[in-house]
Every structure is written in structure tokens, then in C-alpha cells.
Amino acid sequence: MSTVSEWSQSAEYLSFRSNVPLRRISVSNDPEQEWRIYDCGPKTVQNPLICLSPVSGTADIFFRQALALSARGIRVISAEAPPYWTANEWCDGFRKLLDYLSLSKVHIFGASLGGYLAQKFAEGTSLRPRVASLILCNSFSDTTVFKANETASIYWMLPALVLKKMLLSNFQPPPATDPDVVHTTDFMVERLDSLTQSELASRLTLNCANGYVEAHKLIDLAVTIIDVFEGSPLTFPVKEQLYKCYPQAKLAHLKNGGHFPFLSRSAEVNLHLLIHLRQFDGGPLASSDKCLINHRLASS
């Protein structure tokens, strides 16, 4: 039995779970193929920020983004996909999710695998754009950097315990002097433990099967890249490859924060998200309801 993390019992997380309902949305003929989403903020906003998690994450790991940004009038949707085994399948499912939610264009904040899939979706819809902008956190543009293409074909048959051990081996021990990184790691291990074998196997397959982003199709897209210097899960050559893909990108570097800075350094990450989204305020791709913001400012 896994231990309960401190953050899953925190007032902040419990407030999120009690005030933002989990929605299960089926976009296929298989009722068990359900997307799980948390939709936070004004539903009048048609161009929300959608958060996509790394391999080990669930939709609720972005609770700090949902609470902080929705308080500023931004609509935030945290989405968790059912098992898909190819990037094309995932992109088709994500397109159907956007159609179900009646969203024509979205801003996407993707962490690690979530960032890679966000790029693939933007690439696949480049002729009829569905992505307004990208924020990529500790992400990559080419899966061959993991050098696991040969083993990716057998993930589907491996037991959940083996898959979890594979992922846990990549979690660097957090510095004992950094309580936020320690609590983040505990929380993410707890989330990892809640995933089924098919969820883990499909995500690892997406993460490691040979694939790359045709970034030249996204050259006109507004992109912000958020990276961690100390304790980053990615090597500098991998980061540099992503930078070269998006010469137009704004770079946001965090001194530290580990694998999951959206949790351990949420205030800094949220600030970068606000700065990125601010360029769309007042336009047709705005992610926030300014009327709601002005009302709150007037009443405060």
C-alpha cells in the first residue's frame, strides 16, 4: 500500500478537488476510452489553456496552475488521455476532445511527453490550426533521444510493477534541503501508483517509439520554453535541439525545481504562463475573461 503524500492532504489540493469536478468524456465508440479533465475558470472563454502531463502524471497534477490562473480570469483545462498507442491516435483523440468541448483553438502547456504530443498536434493541424500557442516545460522534439525504440514495442506486455519501476528509476533523489521538491516527488510517485498497466504502457510507448516534430511547420507559432538548470531530467543537447526547432521562442530558465517545476516552483512557472498568455489579451485568442478580472478588482 502506497503512503499518502503530504500534498494530497493539503488544504490547497483538497480545495481544488472539492471545487473543480472531474469530468469523464468519451470521444470514441468505446465507452471505456475516456478522457479525464478538470475545467477551471470562466466557461465563456473559448481559447483556454490546456495542460498536458508527463508520462507519470494525472490530470490533477496541475492543480496549482488551475487555482492560481483561474483566479485571474483564465480558463484552465487539465486533460488526461485514455491509452493511445501512437502519436497519430493520440492527436485524433485530442482533436475529438476539442470538438466535443466546442473549442476551435487552444493554448497548450505541455510537460515532458505532454509537450511533445502538443507539438505533434500543432504539426498535424498546421494547415487548419487548432493550437494558438505552446508552452513547453522540460520537453523534447525527438523521441530518439531516449534510445529506447527497440524496447518500446514490448511495453504493452510488461506488468505494471515493472513499468513503474522503470519510471521510478528516472526520478532523481530530491535534495533533502528543498522541501518543495521532496513534496513534489512524493506527490508524483503517488500519482504514478494510481495509473493502470495500459495507461503506463501506452504512455511509455508514445514517449519512446521513434518520432520527431516537423518544427518548420510551426515557425509562426508563439512558443515559450520553460527549462530547469539544476536537476533537469533532460541533457543540454536535448534542450539545445528544442531551442533550435523554435528560434522564435521565448526562453524561461529556472535555476532549479527538478522534474516537475510546475509543482515545486509553481509561482515562477505561473508567472511565465501569465506573461506568455498576456500577449493574446483583448484579441480573438484571449485565454481570459477580462470582464471577470475587472469585476474582481473593483470589488476588492
Side-chain angles (χ1 to χ4, degrees), residues 8-117:
S8 66
Q9 298 301 307
S10 68
E12 184 182 18
Y13 178 75
L14 293 176
S15 173
F16 169 76
R17 290 302 306 268
S18 62
N19 289 292
V20 186
L22 171 64
R23 293 181 62 187
R24 299 176 182 271
I25 299 172
S26 177
V27 297
S28 71
N29 295 327
D30 184 353
E32 294 185 2
Q33 283 284 97
E34 293 180 325
W35 284 79
R36 285 167 281 193
I37 72 166
Y38 293 95
D39 191 345
C40 195
K43 304 304 182 286
T44 53
V45 173
Q46 296 300 303
N47 309 107
L49 175 69
I50 296 192
C51 301
L52 301 176
S53 74
V55 171
S56 55
T58 50
D60 55 349
I61 65 173
F62 295 106
F63 70 95
R64 287 188 151 177
Q65 282 66 53
L67 291 175
L69 299 182
S70 63
R72 290 176 171 265
I74 296 172
R75 184 179 180 185
V76 180
I77 298 174
S78 181
E80 180 184 346
Y84 291 114
W85 298 91
T86 69
N88 286 339
E89 287 180 2
W90 186 96
C91 289
D92 186 56
F94 188 62
R95 177 186 56 79
K96 290 177 180 177
L97 176 68
L98 298 188
D99 291 343
Y100 181 92
L101 296 172
S102 300
L103 302 173
S104 58
K105 284 188 179 181
V106 295
H107 305 273
I108 305 181
F109 173 49
S112 191
L113 173 63
Y116 171 72
L117 293 172

Side-chain angles (χ1 to χ4, degrees), residues 20 48 66 99 168 213 220 244 248 281:
V20 186
D99 291 343
L168 286 172
V213 178
D220 296 325
K244 289 179 178 178
Q248 81 279 21
D281 285 353

Side-chain angles (χ1 to χ4, degrees), residues 21-264:
L22 171 64
R23 293 181 62 187
R24 299 176 182 271
I25 299 172
S26 177
V27 297
S28 71
N29 295 327
D30 184 353
E32 294 185 2
Q33 283 284 97
E34 293 180 325
W35 284 79
R36 285 167 281 193
I37 72 166
Y38 293 95
D39 191 345
C40 195
K43 304 304 182 286
T44 53
V45 173
Q46 296 300 303
N47 309 107
L49 175 69
I50 296 192
C51 301
L52 301 176
S53 74
V55 171
S56 55
T58 50
D60 55 349
I61 65 173
F62 295 106
F63 70 95
R64 287 188 151 177
Q65 282 66 53
L67 291 175
L69 299 182
S70 63
R72 290 176 171 265
I74 296 172
R75 184 179 180 185
V76 180
I77 298 174
S78 181
E80 180 184 346
Y84 291 114
W85 298 91
T86 69
N88 286 339
E89 287 180 2
W90 186 96
C91 289
D92 186 56
F94 188 62
R95 177 186 56 79
K96 290 177 180 177
L97 176 68
L98 298 188
D99 291 343
Y100 181 92
L101 296 172
S102 300
L103 302 173
S104 58
K105 284 188 179 181
V106 295
H107 305 273
I108 305 181
F109 173 49
S112 191
L113 173 63
Y116 171 72
L117 293 172
Q119 294 170 79
K120 292 298 292 180
F121 182 72
E123 170 200 309
T125 58
S126 59
L127 295 179
R128 300 183 65 182
R130 302 295 298 270
V131 178
S133 71
L134 292 172
I135 308 101
L136 308 174
C137 179
N138 283 349
S139 195
F140 52 91
S141 61
D142 190 335
T143 61
T144 58
V145 300
F146 299 108
K147 300 177 181 178
N149 181 54
E150 292 184 3
T151 56
S153 61
I154 65 168
Y155 289 148
W156 66 273
M157 66 175 69
L158 296 180
L161 183 61
V162 173
L163 297 172
K164 288 176 183 177
K165 285 183 176 179
M166 289 170 56
L167 286 168
L168 286 172
S169 68
N170 294 320
F171 280 31
Q172 292 183 354
T177 55
D178 194 329
D180 285 333
V181 176
V182 172
H183 294 325
T184 292
T185 302
D186 291 344
F187 181 72
M188 290 300 295
V189 169
E190 185 181 50
R191 300 300 95 195
L192 171 64
D193 198 49
S194 71
L195 297 174
T196 66
Q197 189 277 342
S198 60
E199 288 169 338
L200 288 167
S202 60
R203 295 180 189 190
L204 279 167
T205 301
L206 290 173
N207 199 88
C208 298
N210 274 351
Y212 65 92
V213 178
E214 296 181 60
H216 65 276
K217 295 181 179 180
L218 312 179
I219 197 66
D220 296 325
L221 201 63
V223 178
T224 293
I225 299 173
I226 302 176
D227 271 332
V228 173
F229 280 132
E230 298 175 11
S232 171
L234 302 173
T235 63
F236 181 75
V238 175
K239 296 179 184 180
E240 192 173 38
Q241 185 179 49
L242 189 65
Y243 302 158
K244 289 179 178 178
C245 285
Y246 302 104
Q248 81 279 21
K250 294 180 179 178
L251 305 182
H253 296 301
L254 307 181
K255 182 180 179 182
N256 48 39
H259 287 51
F260 315 107
F262 50 87
L263 281 168
S264 61

